[in-house]
Amino acid sequence: MRRIITGAGLLLALAHAFAQDIPPGDRRSGYEQMGRETRAMQDDDSANPATFWVLEGETSWSKKTGTANRACSECHGDAAASMKGVAARHPAFDAKRGRLMNLEQRINACRVERQEAKPLAYESRELLALTAYVARQSRGMPIKIAPNPQSQPSLDAGRALYNRKIGQIDLSCAQCHDQNWGRHLAGNAIPQAHPTGYPIYRLEWQGVGSLQRRLRNCMSGLRAEAYDYGSQELVDLEYYLMWRARGMKVETPAVRP
Amino acid sequence: MLRILAVAAFYVSGATAQDAIPDSLTGAKGDPARGRAIVANRQVGLCLLCHSGPIPEERFQGDLAPDLAGAGNRWTEAQLRQRIVDSRKLNPLTIMPSYYRTEGHARVAPAFRGKPLLDAEQIEDIVAYLGTLK
């Protein structure tokens, strides 16, 4: 009897050890696991509270600011044309600065260098609004992350972070999002963690938040010390998650429970 | 591959020796009523985040783990104690946290550093409660 149990345990362990990435055909956005009402909120711009942030972002886009007294629109023109696809390919490696930058960091780089204004704080309403407005221009486009030799180390680092057990609870992202997606942690369906819709309006937050806020939430849930906003680790994780979701469609601004 | 070999070696050698912790961690018997309250509390026991159990007043129980009903039939108290103290001794890949282990954790938030998820008395209370689930 003991032998049979040991054998079964071994098989189970082997099955887990070989646990692979989610096959491309099985990937789903968190949207597909939401209830009908929450989906309806996302589907209808006039019911989606994130629309307020998008509209505010549109206002910021053409507002002169900083010592240079310039607006985003003076350099970039109509966002519907110039910003189309931008969110679908971020984070992206910036050759000039020699580092990977996410969309918020890209927006802040323009603020500091071209508008000569102070960078906007992470999770500030204005940065979320501008990011939501810019990302909105990619809605419906496939996520396109193509690592190159310079960004490959970030992809590898992001993957390592995703698979690393952290916190007093001692679980990795993969243990929930690759191995247990679709099951329920208390009442909450575990999504596959595809960052298709950021910034999102989250019902639990009663507001819009960034992908980094979401990642930090999961880390705190594990009773781990969350990485700082803007840290290399969080940008690497964002990059890995976007690569993992490559080909899936941008939903920004999404709604999540 | 090394990891798989290690796991395999572990299963062949250690499984039975690690299956049970016969002695109470406190030297005393736990209190099943307190144990039930800890299991039911999602900030303290966390059990119902993953498990379901015969605690009808708690809605939204998890479905990541076996139902706790009948745990006292399936396992002796010594086996239950091992499963709470360090489930990963039995199955290194399980998602069940090791409630009485403090080493080997990475990036623990300052408020929880060096502390186990539950203390010895709480674990004995839970063991006593699970033992009543027949």
Side-chain angles (χ1 to χ4, degrees), chain A residues 185-222:
Chain A
L185 186 70
N188 307 313
I190 300 180
Q192 293 181 352
H194 297 302
T196 43
Y198 287 81
I200 56 164
Y201 182 87
R202 191 168 179 220
L203 297 171
E204 194 182 305
W205 294 336
Q206 297 277 298
V208 166
S210 71
L211 176 56
Q212 295 205 353
R213 180 171 177 193
R214 175 66 255 186
L215 303 184
R216 285 166 51 87
N217 272 194
C218 278
M219 291 174 180
S220 309
L222 296 172

Side-chain angles (χ1 to χ4, degrees), chain A residues 52-232:
Chain A
F52 290 111
W53 277 256
V54 172
L55 293 174
E56 281 177 40
E58 185 173 17
T59 306
S60 291
W61 178 258
S62 46
K63 195 178 78 192
K64 289 177 191 289
T65 189
T67 310
N69 198 32
R70 256 196 237 157
C72 315
S73 57
E74 289 176 54
C75 289
H76 296 287
D78 182 2
S82 66
M83 294 295 118
K84 197 168 182 218
V86 169
R89 57 170 190 269
H90 271 81
F93 191 80
D94 184 289
K96 197 174 93 200
R97 296 177 186 81
R99 66 186 173 94
L100 195 71
M101 291 170 82
N102 69 11
L103 194 54
E104 286 89 344
Q105 290 169 330
R106 171 74 58 196
I107 289 169
N108 264 332
C110 274
R111 260 187 79 87
V112 172
E113 292 166 21
R114 307 194 195 237
Q115 297 181 307
E116 296 169 40
K118 283 215 178 86
L120 297 167
Y122 262 98
E123 303 312 290
S124 63
R125 188 154 175 125
E126 193 174 0
L127 183 57
L128 288 168
L130 263 173
T131 309
Y133 177 63
V134 169
R136 163 73 182 79
Q137 313 308 323
S138 298
R139 189 156 84 181
M141 296 181 70
I143 292 173
K144 208 172 169 184
I145 298 285
N148 58 28
Q150 289 138 312
S151 63
Q152 188 65 40
S154 275
L155 188 71
D156 297 341
R159 189 201 310 267
L161 286 166
Y162 184 80
N163 286 294
R164 181 187 188 205
K165 291 191 211 177
I166 52 168
Q168 193 192 34
I169 313 270
D170 200 30
L171 287 174
S172 71
C173 317
Q175 284 180 289
C176 280
H177 293 295
D178 286 352
Q179 295 168 21
N180 282 295
W181 68 268
R183 300 217 180 104
H184 295 81
L185 186 70
N188 307 313
I190 300 180
Q192 293 181 352
H194 297 302
T196 43
Y198 287 81
I200 56 164
Y201 182 87
R202 191 168 179 220
L203 297 171
E204 194 182 305
W205 294 336
Q206 297 277 298
V208 166
S210 71
L211 176 56
Q212 295 205 353
R213 180 171 177 193
R214 175 66 255 186
L215 303 184
R216 285 166 51 87
N217 272 194
C218 278
M219 291 174 180
S220 309
L222 296 172
R223 301 187 178 174
E225 187 177 9
Y227 295 97
D228 290 337
Y229 280 112
S231 62
Q232 186 68 45

Side-chain angles (χ1 to χ4, degrees), chain A residues 2 5-6 9-10 12-14 16-18 164-171 175-176 179-180 182-188 190 220 223-228 233, chain B residues 4 7-8 11-12 15-16 42-44 46 48-50 60-64 88 91-95 97 101 104-110 112-113 115-117:
Chain A
R2 187 191 302 153
I5 291 174
T6 307
L10 178 57
L12 207 74
L14 285 173
H16 278 285
F18 282 117
R164 181 187 188 205
K165 291 191 211 177
I166 52 168
Q168 193 192 34
I169 313 270
D170 200 30
L171 287 174
Q175 284 180 289
C176 280
Q179 295 168 21
N180 282 295
R183 300 217 180 104
H184 295 81
L185 186 70
N188 307 313
I190 300 180
S220 309
R223 301 187 178 174
E225 187 177 9
Y227 295 97
D228 290 337
E233 286 89 352
Chain B
I4 296 164
V7 170
Y11 268 87
V12 175
T16 43
R42 41 196 87 215
Q43 275 85 45
V44 180
L46 313 170
L48 298 183
L49 295 181
C50 296
F60 304 121
Q61 305 186 352
D63 61 9
L64 302 175
R88 296 189 187 172
N91 171 8
L93 300 171
T94 184
I95 57 168
R101 181 162 61 80
H105 292 176
R107 267 197 95 75
V108 177
F112 302 102
R113 246 171 239 163
K115 296 179 190 151
L117 275 159

Side-chain angles (χ1 to χ4, degrees), chain A residues 19-41:
Chain A
Q20 284 290 328
D21 295 348
I22 298 167
D26 292 347
R27 288 181 310 170
R28 325 204 166 333
S29 159
Y31 173 86
E32 294 179 53
Q33 289 166 251
M34 306 195 307
R36 213 160 46 95
E37 280 171 36
T38 319
R39 274 192 269 169
M41 244 171 122

